[in-house]
Amino acid sequence: DAKKGGRAENDVIVEQKNDDIDINLFNQRECYYLYYEIFSNGETRQQIFCRGTTLLADVWTCLKTWFVYDEELGCHVHYGFNQHANRIVEDVMPLLVPPPMLVDKRGITSDGKEPKVGSTMSHHATVEVCGHSLGGAVAMLVAIKLRKRGYIVTRAISLAGPRFCKGLEEREKLEKWLPEETLRIESDLDIVTYLPPNAVSVGDKLLLVDETNRTDAFMLPVEWIQEKARDHSWVESVWLNLRLFESLRHQNQTHHVSTYVKKLEQLVEDLSSN
């Protein structure tokens, strides 16, 4: 059939499936990188990297700042970031090692079915998620959604990520689902990390403070920020911490990944020399 210019039955099926896909979403769906490594002990490490704002559509995603209730998360979050996270989760799940099935004494899995013959208990397959800027906020949401779906997420890192929780109650709910190794890295001269100003972030915070000819670093654990005995919420206040005019003057430089990498490398070098 191929020599005659015809199409096999499978080709028709593929074409019909593609007809259902919105071509305009292709660029938006190319928004993450997936790497995996298989070790000699059988462990599989899967790493998801969520990119930052690149397309005009990404800008519109950031501008969808109203909060929506997500039933899976059980709280209100930034509409655009949550929509973006859902796209990544649905796209990446078929590429990941399936999550481990919980089997009770009767041999029945958590979904009420008998495990398939030859199915693997994926207890040695882990997932790590990180992202920059838009991807930083999305990475946190992706990590939480994957954990809720049974995946073993061991690390979540946000680099220069914006805020996405509606309030402190929402943050407390999401904190319970974050992996132990969760970190957001922010610069006090990066205005993106203060936006939107009516939202809050999650996870431990490594704050890079730019001084003359040097950068100081402060580790702010989320338990300290949320401490009820003493109010430390001021460290998250936009109005108290945003150095607006300096941030606007240096924004093109401070928000870049390379700038953060240089600051972190300098920090490691300083710690090593002390």
Side-chain angles (χ1 to χ4, degrees):
D1 289 340
K3 293 182 180 179
K4 296 179 182 179
R7 292 182 296 190
E9 182 178 353
N10 290 340
D11 294 332
V12 176
I13 295 176
V14 170
E15 183 175 338
Q16 289 174 344
K17 288 183 178 180
N18 288 340
D19 286 341
D20 296 332
I21 299 176
D22 187 354
I23 302 298
N24 296 321
L25 292 178
F26 278 177
N27 288 335
Q28 282 184 273
R29 289 188 177 277
E30 294 177 359
C31 54
Y32 68 90
Y33 303 89
L34 173 62
Y35 297 86
Y36 68 91
E37 186 174 3
I38 302 177
F39 297 91
S40 58
N41 63 356
E43 177 188 352
T44 300
R45 181 187 300 168
Q46 304 160 111
Q47 297 175 318
I48 305 171
F49 299 90
C50 307
R51 65 160 172 77
T53 303
T54 304
L55 308 170
L56 184 60
D58 297 332
V59 176
W60 174 232
T61 294
C62 297
L63 293 176
K64 297 177 182 178
T65 57
W66 56 91
F67 297 104
V68 294
Y69 183 80
D70 184 288
E71 292 186 0
E72 183 177 22
L73 299 177
C75 63
H76 293 81
V77 290
H78 185 290
Y79 176 72
F81 299 155
N82 191 52
Q83 190 180 44
H84 204 59
N86 286 334
R87 278 198 296 265
I88 292 181
V89 170
E90 295 302 324
D91 282 358
V92 79
M93 279 181 56
L95 306 177
L96 298 175
V97 176
M101 292 183 295
L102 301 178
V103 182
D104 62 17
K105 296 180 180 180
R106 300 172 299 164
I108 303 299
T109 63
S110 55
D111 60 2
K113 300 178 181 179
E114 295 184 9
K116 296 180 180 179
V117 177
S119 63
T120 57
M121 300 292 119
S122 313
H123 294 288
H124 298 289
T126 60
V127 180
E128 301 173 7
V129 192
C130 71
H132 168 255
S133 189
L134 160 66
V138 170
M140 293 293 192
L141 290 169
V142 169
I144 295 170
K145 288 175 180 288
L146 288 177
R147 286 202 77 186
K148 278 183 165 284
R149 300 185 189 196
Y151 291 88
I152 304 176
V153 182
T154 58
R155 182 177 297 166
I157 298 177
S158 170
L159 184 67
R163 306 176 175 199
F164 61 89
C165 290
K166 182 179 180 180
L168 299 180
E169 292 185 5
E170 276 77 5
R171 178 167 70 182
E172 290 183 6
K173 290 180 181 179
L174 296 181
E175 288 286 351
K176 298 176 182 178
W177 285 97
L178 285 170
E180 185 175 349
E181 293 186 34
T182 297
L183 182 65
R184 52 188 168 106
I185 305 172
E186 302 176 0
S187 169
D188 70 330
L189 289 182
D190 190 349
I191 196 172
V192 171
T193 62
Y194 295 98
L195 300 175
N198 61 331
V200 296
S201 298
V202 299
D204 296 339
K205 178 178 180 177
L206 178 62
L207 178 62
L208 306 176
V209 179
D210 285 274
E211 301 293 349
T212 304
N213 299 324
R214 81 173 197 274
T215 299
D216 295 328
F218 299 90
M219 188 65 193
L220 306 176
V222 68
E223 292 83 2
W224 180 83
I225 297 175
Q226 298 179 162
E227 187 177 315
K228 295 182 179 179
R230 300 181 63 183
D231 185 11
H232 298 138
S233 60
W234 61 269
V235 300
E236 298 279 58
S237 171
V238 176
W239 320 115
L240 292 178
N241 298 286
L242 176 60
R243 297 154 63 179
L244 181 59
F245 297 107
E246 291 178 83
S247 298
L248 291 175
R249 187 166 69 248
H250 301 288
Q251 184 62 26
N252 287 336
Q253 179 182 0
T254 56
H255 189 60
H256 287 177
V257 174
S258 58
T259 302
Y260 275 90
V261 171
K262 289 179 182 178
K263 291 179 180 180
L264 292 173
E265 288 177 342
Q266 185 62 50
L267 176 62
V268 172
E269 183 177 334
D270 293 343
L271 292 173
S272 301
S273 60
N274 293 335

